[in-house]
């Protein structure tokens, strides 16, 4: 076959050489032996100049092909060496990023966007109950992480916070205390702890920024969760000041996206309303939105937040940083409820039940510090984020948390 080693080998021989002649002789329907290529008769025969030119071109092509092949082989070998070197470099760098809460909304988003997961260790409560110090220690002993992204928490929407204050306080206090202490004891190079804008003071001026965290009590609907998160910030700062540990806090606003908790009672507003609208449409019932729909929120899509957290891991050691869309993108609960109803083509069946609490009216966050560090970040539009989340939920209804 042309281009095959045998074929190239045969053609590589100079015309008139034994091998060359022999192979030529064998070509299907080949010429009679009298007009052997290169023989006087052959040279004299009509069109020989063209034949010679053709042959010449062929040889050049083969040589070109051969040198191309060699070039590719060299490149490929080069690629192997670079790849090997990169792997060795990472090994030497020994960067091991332990991510707690990996099965959650934000943890899954980070897993989805990470091109190369080699350096990352994804932990869930099945690996270790982080409220238990001995289990947390065992985790650090086993993996000896160089970096930690601490996402694990006892999390829920307004109604879960209002009805499970002890759990929200104790679970989060224990997990956070154990993680920060182990991060120090195991000499972690960088810890990213995750707070929330709902922990800022309720009675304050807007927009709120990173420095205003302890300027007053949080909203009473989530005060226990809020104080547990405030203690996490205090603990990180204590290690920064006393030991110079690079422990930093990121502060997201309300997050939504695939893999969220779509529980009708405990979930945050967007996943709960997506589930409610799904059922309302299926059963032909009214789509009930709790409260007045007037409260204001800034919503960030989970994968946008994932990208920002990975960016923080590599690019900044700011003590605390709000991760949010602009304050101009703050919207009412009603606005998001109508986007959801539109996705289900169920707009005309949406009603508000003001007998339910509205919770905090607003918690407008100032993202100018983030924008001063990363000003061209492209946040996904609410319409597109809701479309993706509704699609994910309807496609994964059987397995979704609910
Ligand atoms: P999530 O979906 O509820 O996931 C929570 C994660 O924590 C899960 O992976 C869970 O593991 C793990 N976890 C819970 N209890 C644990 C325990 N005792 N031991 C070990 N792991 C445990 O949470 P999320 O919405 O992704 O939130 C991620 C972070 O962002 C949290 O720190 C949260 O406070 C913060 N935040 C969330 C929002 C929001 O709107 N969702 C807003 C601002 C800040 P299992 O699945 O194995 O139980
Ligand atoms: O996301 P969410 O539960 O919590 O949103 P917060 C609550 C707002 O959505 C309130 C309205 O104004 C509710 O009246 N809402 C309407 C609903 N329908 C529903 C529904 O079916 N379910 C829910 N959950 N809300 C949380 C804190 O505050 O913010 C958490 O409690 C956490 O600790 C989270 O930090 C980010 O935005 O009010």
């Amino acid at each position: 076959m042309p281009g095959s080693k045998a074929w190239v080998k045969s053609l590589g021989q100079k015309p008139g050489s034994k091998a060359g002649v022999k192979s030529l002789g064998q070509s299907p329907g080949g010429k009679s032996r009298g007009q052997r290529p290169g023989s006087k008769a052959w040279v004299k025969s009509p069109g020989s100049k063209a034949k010679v030119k053709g042959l010449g071109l062929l040889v050049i092509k083969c040589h070109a092909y051969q040198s191309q092949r060699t070039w590719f082989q060299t490149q490929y070998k080069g690629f192997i060496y670079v790849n090997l070197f990169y792997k060795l470099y990472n090994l030497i760098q020994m960067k091991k990023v332990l991510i707690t809460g990996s099965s959650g909304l934000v943890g899954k988003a980070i897993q989805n966007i990470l091109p190369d997961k080699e350096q990352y260790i994804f932990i869930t409560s099945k690996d270790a109950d982080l409220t238990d110090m001995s289990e947390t220690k065992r985790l650090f002993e086993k993996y000896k992480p160089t970096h930690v992204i601490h996402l694990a928490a006892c999390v829920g929407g307004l109604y879960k916070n209002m009805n499970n204050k002890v759990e929200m306080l104790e679970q989060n206090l224990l997990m956070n205390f154990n993680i920060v202490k182990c991060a120090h004891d195991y000499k972690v190079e960088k810890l990213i702890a995750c707070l929330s804008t709902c922990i800022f003071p309720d009675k304050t001026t807007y927009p709120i920024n990173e420095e205003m965290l302890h300027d007053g009590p949080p909203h009473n609907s989530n005060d226990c969760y809020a104080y547990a998160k405030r203690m996490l910030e205090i603990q990180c700062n204590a290690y920064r000041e006393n030991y110079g540990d690079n422990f930093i806090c990121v502060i997201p606003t309300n997050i939504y996206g695939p893999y969220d908790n779509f529980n009708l009672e405990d979930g945050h507003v967007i996943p709960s309303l997506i589930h409610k609208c799904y059922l309302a449409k299926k059963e032909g019932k009214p789509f009930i939105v709790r409260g007045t729909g007037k409260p204001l929120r800034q919503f960030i899509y989970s994968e946008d937040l994932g990208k920002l957290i990975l960016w923080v891991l590599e690019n900044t050691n700011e003590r605390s940083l709000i991760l949010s869309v602009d304050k101009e993108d703050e919207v009412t609960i009603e606005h998001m409820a109508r986007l959801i109803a539109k996705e289900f083509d169920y707009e005309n069946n949406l009603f508000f039940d003001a007998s339910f609490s509205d919770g905090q009216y607003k918690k407008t966050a100032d993202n100018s510090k983030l924008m001063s560090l990363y000003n061209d970040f492209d946040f996904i539009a609410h319409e597109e984020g809701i479309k993706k989340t509704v699609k994910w939920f309807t496609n994964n209804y059987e397995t979704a948390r609910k």
Side-chain angles (χ1 to χ4, degrees):
M1 180 185 76
S4 67
K5 284 194 181 151
W7 186 73
V8 171
K9 221 176 187 166
S10 69
L11 280 180
Q13 310 289 341
K14 282 202 289 316
S17 67
K18 279 221 182 85
V21 169
K22 204 154 159 232
S23 69
L24 277 180
Q26 284 151 5
S27 60
K31 297 222 174 320
S32 71
R33 294 187 71 71
Q35 293 235 344
R36 274 177 314 110
S39 64
K40 279 207 192 103
W42 182 78
V43 172
K44 283 205 190 99
S45 65
S48 59
K49 272 209 183 67
K51 281 183 217 147
V52 170
K53 201 164 153 235
L55 209 57
L57 272 178
L58 207 55
V59 169
I60 292 164
K61 269 200 192 136
C62 287
H63 277 301
Y65 168 73
Q66 182 63 20
S67 46
Q68 224 180 20
R69 237 179 63 169
T70 327
W71 183 83
F72 275 117
Q73 279 165 338
T74 334
Q75 299 311 315
Y76 180 64
K77 279 202 193 103
F79 167 74
I80 299 279
Y81 292 136
V82 169
N83 206 359
L84 210 60
F85 170 76
Y86 178 67
K87 283 196 164 35
L88 275 175
Y89 172 75
N90 277 339
L91 214 61
I92 296 158
Q93 282 286 332
M94 293 302 281
K95 191 172 181 176
K96 284 190 282 182
V97 186
L98 183 115
I99 304 187
T100 70
S102 292
S103 51
L105 167 68
V106 184
K108 280 285 186 185
I110 289 180
Q111 293 193 57
N112 277 351
I113 56 180
L114 268 175
D116 179 354
K117 298 181 176 55
E118 199 168 327
Q119 296 172 335
Y120 296 82
I121 306 149
F122 302 105
I123 298 296
T124 75
S125 64
K126 294 178 188 59
D127 302 290
D129 174 0
L130 298 176
T131 63
D132 180 310
M133 181 51 107
S134 58
E135 289 196 29
T136 311
K137 266 196 183 138
R138 235 196 331 273
L139 195 69
F140 277 75
E141 190 56 43
K142 179 176 176 188
Y143 293 108
K144 296 200 172 41
T146 58
H147 298 66
V148 174
I149 299 177
H150 175 39
L151 300 173
C154 183
V155 179
L158 169 64
Y159 305 105
K160 177 171 179 180
N161 270 274
M162 289 165 70
N163 306 327
N164 304 274
K165 291 203 170 202
V166 174
E167 184 195 354
M168 299 307 277
L169 179 69
E170 293 183 350
Q171 293 280 309
N172 287 311
L173 276 177
L174 288 167
M175 271 188 259
N176 299 337
F177 176 86
N178 295 340
I179 286 286
V180 177
K181 182 146 186 47
C182 285
H184 173 73
D185 295 347
Y186 283 83
K187 301 188 174 25
V188 160
E189 288 169 34
K190 186 170 186 172
L191 163 69
I192 299 180
C194 200
L195 310 181
S196 168
T197 54
C198 78
I199 75 173
F200 279 93
D202 180 38
K203 299 194 176 24
T204 181
T205 53
Y206 295 104
I208 41 185
N209 65 43
E210 290 80 356
E211 309 321 313
M212 297 160 71
L213 187 58
H214 299 286
D215 292 1
H219 191 268
N220 64 21
S221 64
N222 53 38
D223 52 2
C224 285
Y225 171 85
Y227 280 121
K229 287 284 190 183
R230 287 191 186 187
M231 285 310 117
L232 172 57
E233 199 259 356
I234 296 282
Q235 194 185 4
C236 286
N237 275 341
Y239 279 102
R240 280 174 77 91
E241 286 164 25
N242 281 176
Y243 302 103
D245 287 331
N246 185 16
F247 294 175
I248 71 173
C249 295
V250 292
I251 316 172
T253 53
N254 289 51
I255 315 164
Y256 72 102
Y259 300 96
D260 206 339
N261 178 2
F262 293 82
N263 182 279
L264 298 170
E265 193 53 41
D266 293 349
H268 288 97
V269 58
I270 289 180
S272 298
L273 288 183
I274 288 174
H275 193 178
K276 281 176 180 147
C277 195
Y278 174 92
L279 293 175
K281 173 140 191 196
K282 199 166 148 218
E283 297 157 9
K285 292 187 176 151
F287 169 36
I288 306 294
V289 179
R290 292 181 176 184
T292 62
K294 296 196 173 15
L296 295 161
R297 299 286 184 270
Q298 285 153 292
F299 291 101
I300 185 168
Y301 187 64
S302 57
E303 293 194 1
D304 282 353
L305 180 68
K307 289 173 192 161
L308 286 171
I309 290 176
L310 292 173
W311 176 82
V312 167
L313 184 70
E314 303 298 339
N315 295 284
T316 177
N317 295 324
E318 284 289 332
R319 186 168 62 79
S320 60
L321 188 61
I322 288 173
L323 302 181
S324 167
V325 296
D326 295 349
K327 57 185 180 305
E328 288 73 27
D329 297 321
E330 188 178 48
V331 290
T332 63
I333 298 298
E334 175 172 358
H335 173 81
M336 291 311 249
R338 292 203 183 283
L339 277 185
I340 291 166
K342 188 161 163 261
E343 256 335 287
F344 284 102
D345 190 18
Y346 210 55
E347 285 122 306
N348 307 327
N349 304 278
L350 187 157
F351 301 91
F352 293 95
D353 181 348
S355 68
F356 282 93
S357 164
D358 267 345
Q360 196 169 14
Y361 177 65
K362 70 176 186 175
K363 36 187 167 175
T364 318
D366 175 0
N367 71 348
S368 52
K369 192 174 176 184
L370 171 66
M371 290 299 116
S372 69
L373 298 166
Y374 192 161
N375 62 3
D376 57 351
F377 186 86
D378 200 7
F379 292 99
I380 202 173
H382 290 139
E383 290 73 13
E384 199 188 338
I386 291 293
K387 188 184 281 295
K388 284 174 182 257
T389 311
V390 167
K391 187 162 172 243
W392 183 88
F393 179 68
T394 42
N395 292 347
N396 297 278
Y397 186 77
E398 296 315 318
T399 53
R401 274 188 297 167
K402 56 185 182 300

